[in-house]
Amino acid sequence: MIYIAVCDDEKCMSDRIIAMVSDFYKRRNMEINILPFSCGEELLKYDKPIDILFLDIQMKDLDGMETARRMRKGQFKGFLIFITILEEMVFESFEVQAFDYLVKPIDVRQFEKTMERLIVSVQNASLCNLLVQKGYESSIISFDEIVFCEIIDRKVYLNLTSSEVIDFYDRLENLEKKLDGRFFRCHRSYLINLKYLKGYKNGTAFMENGKEIPVSRLRSKEFSQVILQYMKQWRR
């Protein structure tokens, strides 16, 4: 499921964008959820994940550029596409890491080109993200946010760089398959992100967040080899 937000204070424009986005993904049999917002203030109150945001720059009261600045300072890490009547406004979009911009009235061919590039970027980004399902809620966690993973009584605990801990039911074996080469299972109950490894001594891995993780004797020799391989491959 891809969560898409459309924020525009003109209902006719918002409806048009929603229709174009819906048609684009329907033709590709991709499941999406579109969330409409009529102003920046309303969007800023929304506290659930957004993967793609279409945001009008010229809105009353709180404009789109300021809305984007506040969202980037918060938790929003998704793809941002500005909707604007003034093409020169796009130069400010670099500040908020905009993916692209569409000029009103929206040209169908330009929209299709933007969306085709967006699909590729979303797919590439998902390769380094973990989708966590907890009940009816889902979260997308970047691999770089995960310091280490621990399993206790069939429950996985993700310890993040923000000090937040996210828990959900899964097997560590399943999680290990979803992660990449920067992660190492140093113990039957732990997976660590080698990016945040500060040191290793006497069967203990010292992480940058101050946590000490046990390394089993069976994995200690392999651990040393994995660290060397990681330094060659990931810290080039």
Side-chain angles (χ1 to χ4, degrees):
M1 178 74 74
I2 301 173
Y3 293 91
I4 301 172
V6 176
C7 184
D8 197 306
D9 58 0
E10 295 180 35
K11 190 176 185 305
C12 59
M13 179 55 65
S14 178
D15 290 345
R16 174 163 167 73
I17 296 169
I18 289 172
M20 293 173 76
V21 170
S22 298
D23 178 64
F24 180 86
Y25 281 103
K26 186 177 181 180
R27 283 185 273 122
R28 287 156 182 80
N29 295 314
M30 297 176 71
E31 192 175 2
I32 62 170
N33 184 14
I34 302 181
L35 311 158
F37 297 90
S38 60
C39 63
E41 291 88 349
E42 184 184 358
L43 178 62
L44 288 169
K45 291 177 183 177
Y46 185 76
D47 60 356
K48 293 182 180 177
I50 295 173
D51 300 312
I52 301 168
L53 170 61
F54 291 86
L55 181 60
D56 182 24
I57 290 183
Q58 291 85 15
M59 293 190 295
K60 297 175 183 176
D61 299 323
L62 189 65
D63 65 28
M65 194 62 69
E66 181 58 28
T67 300
R69 289 190 188 102
R70 295 187 189 183
M71 291 191 70
R72 286 302 193 198
K73 287 180 181 178
Q75 298 298 314
F76 178 61
K77 297 179 181 177
F79 293 90
L80 170 62
I81 299 173
F82 277 126
I83 312 296
T84 179
I85 57 173
L86 301 173
E87 195 167 341
E88 58 267 26
M89 288 289 293
V90 78
F91 293 110
E92 293 183 50
S93 66
F94 290 105
E95 178 189 344
V96 288
Q97 302 165 350
F99 178 80
D100 205 348
Y101 68 98
L102 296 170
V103 179
K104 298 179 184 180
I106 298 175
D107 179 75
V108 175
R109 286 178 298 177
Q110 185 59 47
F111 174 82
E112 290 282 330
K113 286 181 181 179
T114 295
M115 295 304 293
E116 291 290 354
R117 289 196 304 110
L118 183 60
I119 277 187
V120 174
S121 295
V122 169
Q123 289 173 338
N124 289 340
S126 68
L127 294 176
C128 294
N129 288 318
L130 178 69
L131 178 63
V132 174
Q133 204 80 32
K134 187 176 180 182
Y136 295 103
E137 295 186 5
S138 60
S139 305
I140 297 176
I141 310 296
S142 168
F143 288 175
D144 276 341
E145 292 182 66
I146 304 171
V147 179
F148 69 91
C149 317
E150 180 181 9
I151 188 161
I152 303 173
D153 296 330
R154 298 188 303 109
K155 213 173 199 182
V156 171
Y157 294 82
L158 300 182
N159 288 257
L160 307 184
T161 53
S162 63
S163 298
E164 181 184 2
V165 178
I166 295 178
D167 62 277
F168 57 98
Y169 286 101
D170 201 354
R171 297 177 62 192
L172 208 58
E173 290 82 0
N174 295 337
L175 181 60
E176 188 175 10
K177 292 174 184 176
K178 297 173 186 176
L179 301 174
D180 59 22
R182 77 193 84 179
F183 290 87
F184 178 70
R185 189 168 180 179
C186 61
H187 186 278
R188 66 182 180 181
S189 301
Y190 291 93
L191 270 166
I192 65 171
N193 188 339
L194 297 172
K195 177 178 179 179
Y196 301 109
L197 178 66
K198 189 177 180 181
Y200 171 57
K201 185 178 180 182
N202 297 331
T204 300
F206 299 91
M207 308 305 291
E208 285 189 3
N209 65 352
K211 298 292 184 179
E212 298 181 6
I213 310 297
V215 178
S216 68
R217 285 187 299 169
L218 292 174
R219 297 176 183 268
S220 60
K221 185 176 180 180
E222 183 186 357
F223 188 38
S224 300
Q225 295 171 344
V226 167
I227 292 172
L228 291 173
Q229 183 61 36
Y230 168 78
M231 293 177 71
K232 290 177 183 178
Q233 183 176 349
W234 296 92
R235 292 191 175 177
R236 288 185 293 191

